[in-house]
Amino acid sequence: MSVFRFLMTVFVATGMAVAVAGETVEVKQGSFLVITYPKSNRIKRWSCYEPREGDVFIGVARRLCSRPVMRVFTRTNEIHAGIMVKDSCGNVRLLEADRGTGVRMHDPIAYLADYRQNYGDVYIRRLTFDLSEEESEALTCFAEEIIGRDYAAIHELINAVFAQPFIDRASPGQWLENPDRWFCSEVVVAALQEAGLLHPDIRSSSMIPNYLMGDLLAPDWDPPHRWTPAIVRHLEVDKRWPLAQY
């Protein structure tokens, strides 16, 4: 690690004010969403983010898909997805299905920070309204029911080869349905259907994470906003000090 990168890491970790190219900047730690202007990467403002049930997490890895078959057919970065739910104690947790651990719930901020540091960019789609008690309970019951079940690895192969046809012609998705194995985006869509937030005719087993970035969740969810655990005042993060995102 270079001396410059080490010093920048220390500044970010401690929240110190530093001078870069003659300009003083201040690092503020917490949980934030980067709000940009429409059709632009130019930052409009920062927004503090408190996870709420119904919010959708989408992770876009820095690397191309790690599985050889996925790389051949998609040539895209790995995309992961999860959803915020309440556990039986009323705490907001992030529900996800991962190839290494199966279906699990995590502390949301710790999980987002870990993904952001070790894998890639984190995006949040915020639900635009508060859930009713019935909708909240439906999400919780769904999460508690599928916790501990296995990851549906076959989805990766099938979706890599036939993802677009599965979206346009949903019936083949029935081949993938298995209540004991779940794919990441399948968990998200099925959970929202259980709460009555998505149309029941959508075949959750046919969904891929990419589609959670698009119109599937509009207009009841905000557009995807990038999440970051630290912001820099008076300095644009992406172009002038990328390290400040960590």
Side-chain angles (χ1 to χ4, degrees):
M1 178 184 293
S2 69
V3 174
F4 176 78
R5 185 176 179 84
F6 171 76
L7 291 175
M8 291 301 98
T9 303
V10 172
F11 291 143
V12 170
T14 58
M16 298 172 60
V18 299
V20 178
E23 181 178 2
T24 301
V25 297
E26 180 183 0
V27 177
K28 184 177 182 180
Q29 293 182 303
S31 174
F32 308 94
L33 295 180
V34 182
I35 312 300
T36 58
Y37 288 95
K39 299 181 180 180
S40 169
N41 289 325
R42 192 160 63 93
I43 296 174
K44 182 179 182 181
R45 62 185 175 87
W46 304 95
S47 176
C48 292
Y49 177 63
E50 181 72 24
R52 298 190 313 161
E53 53 184 340
D55 291 353
V56 174
F57 147 76
I58 304 167
V60 181
R62 301 183 188 96
R63 63 183 183 182
L64 292 176
C65 293
S66 58
R67 299 290 181 90
V69 173
M70 292 286 283
R71 280 202 305 270
V72 170
F73 286 99
T74 66
R75 297 189 180 277
T76 62
N77 290 39
E78 289 188 19
I79 300 181
H80 188 45
I83 183 171
M84 305 295 178
V85 302
K86 283 186 177 179
D87 61 19
S88 56
C89 297
N91 302 310
V92 176
R93 309 282 282 174
L94 191 149
L95 176 69
E96 55 117 28
D98 180 75
R99 72 168 66 111
T101 59
V103 181
R104 295 288 186 271
M105 285 197 288
H106 308 271
D107 175 86
I109 297 301
Y111 182 90
L112 299 181
D114 179 74
Y115 189 97
R116 182 68 189 83
Q117 180 173 358
N118 296 306
Y119 298 102
D121 289 328
V122 171
Y123 293 87
I124 297 293
R125 298 200 67 168
R126 291 182 295 188
L127 188 61
T128 58
F129 56 86
D130 293 328
L131 297 183
S132 66
E133 290 185 11
E134 293 76 14
E135 292 167 337
S136 174
E137 184 177 357
L139 276 183
T140 300
C141 290
F142 174 81
E144 296 288 344
E145 180 181 351
I146 67 170
I147 285 296
R149 297 190 183 177
D150 293 333
Y151 179 75
I154 188 62
H155 275 71
E156 292 191 310
L157 173 61
I158 300 298
N159 282 332
V161 184
F162 300 111
Q164 186 64 42
F166 272 19
I167 298 302
D168 295 338
R169 302 192 300 272
S171 57
Q174 63 188 334
W175 302 339
L176 303 177
E177 292 178 354
N178 183 341
D180 295 323
R181 297 180 181 275
W182 292 83
F183 190 57
C184 63
S185 49
E186 180 184 14
V187 167
V188 174
V189 174
L192 295 176
Q193 288 176 315
E194 285 292 321
L197 302 175
L198 282 182
H199 198 283
D201 288 346
I202 296 174
R203 191 177 293 280
S204 60
S205 57
S206 297
M207 293 295 107
I208 56 177
N210 310 53
Y211 282 83
L212 297 175
M213 296 283 278
D215 294 336
L216 179 67
L217 299 181
D220 291 332
W221 282 262
D222 285 343
H225 295 306
R226 185 163 51 83
W227 179 89
T228 178
I231 61 174
V232 179
R233 294 180 179 178
H234 313 305
L235 203 61
E236 183 173 338
V237 172
D238 282 335
K239 296 181 179 179
R240 300 181 60 183
W241 197 11
L243 197 62
Q245 298 174 47
Y246 291 89

